Amino acid sequence: MKKVTINDIARAANVAKSTVSKVMNDAPTVSPDTKRRVRAIMKQMNYTPSTIATQLARQSSSTIGMLVDLSRRADFLNHFFYTIIGGIESVAGPLHYELTISNIQSSGPDNFMNRLVRGRKVDGLIMEKSILTREQVDELLQLEFPFVSIGRIADTEGVSSVDIDNALGSGMLTDHLVEQGCRKLAFLGGEPADSIFESRSTGFHRSLKAHGLEGTVSCCEGSAAEGYRLTKELLASGYAPDGIITISNYVAFGVLQALQEANFRVPGDICVATFDDYPLAPYTTPPLTCLHLDTFELGIHAASMLMERIDGSVTGVENRLLLPTLIPRASTQRQRLKE
Amino acid sequence: MKKVTINDIARAANVAKSTVSKVMNDAPTVSPDTKRRVRAIMKQMNYTPSTIATQLARQSSSTIGMLVDLSRRADFLNHFFYTIIGGIESVAGPLHYELTISNIQSSGPDNFMNRLVRGRKVDGLIMEKSILTREQVDELLQLEFPFVSIGRIADTEGVSSVDIDNALGSGMLTDHLVEQGCRKLAFLGGEPADSIFESRSTGFHRSLKAHGLEGTVSCCEGSAAEGYRLTKELLASGYAPDGIITISNYVAFGVLQALQEANFRVPGDICVATFDDYPLAPYTTPPLTCLHLDTFELGIHAASMLMERIDGSVTGVENRLLLPTLIPRASTQRQRLKE
DNA sequence: TTGTAGGCGTTATCAA
DNA sequence: TTGATAACGCCTACAA
């Protein structure tokens, strides 16, 4: 790994290094002839400019950071991490921006706020809504450092964000169940403190009211075991819903299992629909009606909003909401689909 | 975002900037007194050194890159991306190394080889085995650029790698089924060209031979639909195995469904066990016996091997294999477990 | 123990 | 159209 620098090229081409620099940036003030000559030599000497030196000189890192909390193994976003990264890269990459992943866990003086933000290692930040403390949000805001949150940060003015329209999603699921003839609904899953649960259950209630129907909401961890337990409880309690909406595929899975054991027919007796569309959803018994959330799109919006803020073309606060898509499958299919 | 530099601190503290630099690096040749004074001023002025300037001066980027092919949505590793990243970060982070994710898709002169490697944007690289072309591998090797592959690169000398011991894993699954009384096995799933399939099926055959048993191998895409189809075919063909090993949870899921429809009891008539342990595995009917692959550990090894090569403490080629763990569940539980 | 000066590899500003 | 020369912000001999 011997390093060829701009000086070597300049010497070899018999020009000043400033000229070489201009050639690299395709400046119009360089004669086509020298351009050709210098380029030939660069190729021949296998030269590539040092990214770091360029960044120092340009006073820009050309990289954006994604903050994660690696200690949280069960976050909603983990499952979609790869897809979101893909979305981000699809807009940052073509703009020649690098993406660095950083764990907020590391504390002490070497935390992300110093290393990335104050140390100007990145030009902007994307993170999941619940990762930052209130103080960190305020600090970023006060530094006027560009960042975009995935998921809306509660009680915080001034933070731009992208999120799935969860309330609307609940409405879509509810409407769908009602269309299929359900009249007594239950919403299962979600932690009361989680804002995702909050917006989804709010949307559920709002939609129920619009239909003039009743329904219950039961919280639990987003696991199959909990979905199973809660369903058993629900049935034992005597409240017999004819439609169930779950907060995740895992919960839905537990629900299906419990219903099957209790000899309820799905969708005959009870319809089941859920948020998220995991690869297994089409293969449960019966196949699960899902609300697809486009997380790639989430990454795209997060990144493009961030880039706008980095290049200064947009400054205001913006909170985008993305529309989910209903994917009807057999678990709610009481009437034939019109084709 | 006004920037405080080392010069500002030097001026404010009335010392030379070299002294400030020494203070930052806690050099022993600075009096405790000035150290205190300079540090106080740094704190007060809210100073953080520029990562980029430091990198230029130190001639080291202090970052490692992870190469991915974002266009491949269905890779084995995607599902474990977050976990692997976690493993990598857990060793690179404490060493004050950053991690940047880079998409190889972007081609042209601005590809990763120039940007990251020749441009010295990263000190080392980690990637999945099938991402690089033969030429790229050779180029990295020839540049003596440190990199570690996740999964062994076939036909390539000189590349260090970490991988799950897939052949051994097949043996573990086979042994387990045989212990449970199975005598006629089938291995389902895997693409013939994929090296993961190759090592797994090889291990399967080897283990069968050791037991003096017979068995079949059928390839297919790693989806539930294919597992379902293949199982139906297998049963229709008249070959009735009493034990099935699948290459992924998805395939296993399809298998279970097909067996259920055909009125085979699991594990009574046929046992089913699979590679990988997805969150849903304990909730299939019956719960699925799995071979757990520790992908966090995979990240840890990849990163620590890379760091050794970056700091020069290790130079040779090394191919580590990690041991999988069998997680017995009801799908293979014919006899009571001895506790 | 501290300061001076040069270097890391670019970009950018003027003159020439 | 080109070339000196000074940033960019830090590190590191070497000198004081």
Side-chain angles (χ1 to χ4, degrees):
Chain A
M1 283 286 321
K2 62 187 84 166
K3 38 213 155 175
V4 181
T5 77
I6 197 174
N7 290 301
D8 302 322
I9 302 298
R11 204 168 308 129
N14 227 312
V15 295
K17 63 177 181 175
S18 56
T19 303
V20 178
S21 174
K22 284 168 191 157
V23 172
M24 292 192 289
N25 298 294
D26 205 23
T29 68
V30 179
S31 77
D33 195 52
T34 39
K35 265 186 191 173
R36 242 190 311 280
R37 213 177 71 248
V38 171
R39 287 210 177 102
I41 294 191
M42 296 198 304
K43 189 138 297 170
Q44 180 200 320
M45 297 185 66
N46 225 318
Y47 167 73
T48 308
S50 152
T51 334
I52 295 178
T54 307
Q55 290 173 0
L56 214 216
R58 286 222 181 101
Q59 289 292 79
S60 141
S61 70
S62 284
T63 105
I64 63 183
M66 167 123 184
L67 245 38
V68 294
D69 185 343
L70 258 6
S71 69
R72 295 196 217 164
R73 293 285 193 98
D75 262 9
F76 162 75
L77 287 181
N78 298 10
H79 187 89
F80 301 112
F81 192 59
Y82 194 83
T83 324
I84 293 179
I85 294 289
I88 293 177
E89 218 283 339
S90 77
V91 358
L95 264 33
H96 302 285
Y97 264 70
E98 228 72 56
L99 173 63
T100 109
I101 305 296
S102 190
N103 188 4
I104 19 72
Q105 273 319 91
S106 35
S107 54
D110 190 50
N111 56 48
F112 87 91
M113 197 61 88
N114 283 329
R115 235 176 40 249
L116 300 186
V117 179
R118 296 190 182 289
R120 277 146 262 132
K121 181 78 198 284
V122 300
D123 294 346
L125 242 25
I126 294 176
M127 78 287 293
E128 197 263 345
K129 66 173 186 325
S130 63
I131 274 192
L132 296 183
T133 63
R134 180 63 205 245
E135 288 71 36
Q136 292 172 322
V137 170
D138 288 340
E139 190 169 355
L140 288 174
L141 249 24
Q142 184 230 319
L143 288 169
E144 296 182 43
F145 191 83
F147 72 107
V148 171
S149 160
I150 292 185
R152 179 143 194 199
I153 299 186
D155 306 326
T156 305
E157 299 300 313
V159 178
S160 292
S161 69
V162 216
D163 203 352
I164 303 289
D165 194 333
N166 284 295
L168 182 70
S170 276
M172 291 169 69
L173 288 168
T174 308
D175 290 353
H176 175 69
L177 289 181
V178 171
E179 258 172 43
Q180 298 294 319
C182 299
R183 291 295 173 266
K184 208 170 159 189
L185 304 182
F187 185 102
L188 295 194
E191 324 251 5
D194 187 358
S195 72
I196 289 187
F197 167 73
E198 198 187 304
S199 48
R200 288 181 181 178
S201 60
T202 303
F204 177 63
H205 281 126
R206 188 191 308 152
S207 183
L208 281 180
K209 187 174 289 176
H211 286 291
L213 296 175
E214 62 169 317
T216 64
V217 173
S218 316
C219 290
C220 72
E221 238 179 52
S223 70
E226 286 294 272
Y228 180 85
R229 188 182 60 74
L230 229 55
T231 307
K232 291 275 179 172
E233 266 184 37
L234 199 67
L235 298 177
S237 78
Y239 184 90
D242 57 4
I244 297 181
I245 295 175
T246 61
I247 201 152
S248 78
N249 279 226
Y250 293 141
V251 174
F253 209 84
V255 168
L256 286 180
Q257 197 166 317
L259 289 177
Q260 183 187 325
E261 287 181 14
N263 287 313
F264 280 89
R265 288 170 309 154
V266 178
D269 301 319
I270 304 184
C271 290
V272 179
T274 183
F275 278 90
D276 296 348
D277 184 28
Y278 282 20
L280 275 177
Y283 304 103
T284 54
T285 319
L288 205 50
T289 291
C290 290
L291 195 73
H292 175 70
L293 315 177
D294 194 336
T295 46
F296 190 85
E297 200 69 20
L298 212 50
I300 290 186
H301 282 268
S304 61
M305 286 174 68
L306 183 59
M307 297 310 299
E308 287 171 356
R309 268 142 256 265
I310 288 176
D311 69 27
S313 64
V314 175
T315 52
V317 175
E318 191 178 354
N319 297 100
R320 288 194 198 163
L321 285 178
L322 268 37
L323 265 42
T325 317
L326 186 75
I327 301 187
R329 297 205 182 90
S331 70
T332 58
Q333 222 66 14
R334 281 176 169 173
Q335 33 195 69
R336 265 231 135 346
L337 274 180
K338 317 135 195 157
E339 326 240 334
Chain B
M1 281 295 313
K2 62 186 85 165
K3 39 211 155 174
V4 181
T5 78
I6 197 174
N7 290 301
D8 302 322
I9 302 297
R11 205 168 307 128
N14 227 309
V15 293
K17 62 179 183 174
S18 59
T19 304
V20 178
S21 174
K22 285 168 191 158
V23 171
M24 292 192 290
N25 298 295
D26 205 22
T29 70
V30 178
S31 78
D33 195 53
T34 37
K35 265 186 190 172
R36 243 190 310 279
R37 212 177 74 246
V38 171
R39 288 209 175 103
I41 293 190
M42 295 197 308
K43 188 138 296 169
Q44 181 199 321
M45 296 184 66
N46 225 319
Y47 167 73
T48 308
S50 153
T51 334
I52 295 177
T54 308
Q55 290 174 0
L56 214 214
R58 288 221 181 103
Q59 287 292 79
S60 143
S61 69
S62 284
T63 104
I64 64 184
M66 167 123 186
L67 244 39
V68 294
D69 184 344
L70 258 6
S71 70
R72 294 195 217 164
R73 293 288 193 98
D75 262 8
F76 161 76
L77 286 181
N78 298 10
H79 186 90
F80 300 112
F81 192 59
Y82 194 83
T83 325
I84 293 179
I85 294 289
I88 294 177
E89 219 282 340
S90 78
V91 357
L95 263 32
H96 303 286
Y97 264 71
E98 229 72 57
L99 172 64
T100 110
I101 306 297
S102 191
N103 189 4
I104 20 70
Q105 273 318 92
S106 34
S107 53
D110 189 51
N111 56 45
F112 87 92
M113 198 61 90
N114 283 330
R115 235 176 40 250
L116 300 186
V117 179
R118 297 189 182 288
R120 277 145 261 132
K121 182 78 197 286
V122 300
D123 294 346
L125 240 27
I126 294 176
M127 78 287 292
E128 199 264 343
K129 66 173 186 322
S130 62
I131 276 192
L132 297 183
T133 64
R134 181 62 204 243
E135 289 69 37
Q136 291 171 323
V137 170
D138 287 341
E139 189 167 357
L140 288 175
L141 248 25
Q142 184 231 319
L143 288 170
E144 296 182 42
F145 191 82
F147 73 108
V148 171
S149 160
I150 292 185
R152 178 143 195 197
I153 300 186
D155 306 325
T156 305
E157 299 299 313
V159 177
S160 292
S161 68
V162 216
D163 203 351
I164 303 289
D165 193 332
N166 284 296
L168 181 70
S170 276
M172 292 169 69
L173 288 168
T174 307
D175 291 351
H176 175 69
L177 289 181
V178 172
E179 257 172 44
Q180 299 295 318
C182 299
R183 291 294 172 267
K184 209 169 161 191
L185 304 183
F187 185 103
L188 295 195
E191 324 251 5
D194 187 357
S195 72
I196 289 189
F197 166 74
E198 197 187 305
S199 48
R200 289 181 180 179
S201 59
T202 303
F204 177 64
H205 281 126
R206 188 191 309 153
S207 182
L208 281 180
K209 187 173 291 176
H211 286 290
L213 295 175
E214 63 168 316
T216 65
V217 172
S218 317
C219 290
C220 72
E221 238 179 52
S223 70
E226 286 294 273
Y228 180 86
R229 187 182 60 75
L230 230 55
T231 307
K232 291 273 179 177
E233 266 184 37
L234 200 65
L235 298 177
S237 77
Y239 184 91
D242 56 5
I244 297 180
I245 296 175
T246 61
I247 201 154
S248 78
N249 280 224
Y250 293 140
V251 174
F253 209 84
V255 168
L256 287 179
Q257 199 167 316
L259 290 178
Q260 183 186 325
E261 286 182 15
N263 284 315
F264 280 90
R265 288 170 310 153
V266 178
D269 301 319
I270 304 183
C271 289
V272 179
T274 183
F275 277 89
D276 295 348
D277 183 28
Y278 282 19
L280 236 29
Y283 304 103
T284 54
T285 316
L288 205 51
T289 291
C290 290
L291 195 73
H292 174 70
L293 315 178
D294 195 337
T295 47
F296 191 85
E297 201 69 21
L298 212 50
I300 289 186
H301 282 268
S304 59
M305 286 174 69
L306 182 60
M307 296 311 299
E308 287 171 356
R309 269 141 253 267
I310 288 176
D311 69 27
S313 64
V314 175
T315 53
V317 176
E318 191 179 354
N319 297 100
R320 289 193 198 164
L321 286 178
L322 268 35
L323 264 43
T325 316
L326 185 75
I327 302 188
R329 297 205 182 89
S331 70
T332 58
Q333 221 67 13
R334 281 175 169 174
Q335 34 195 68
R336 264 237 136 336
L337 273 180
K338 317 136 196 157
E339 323 241 335

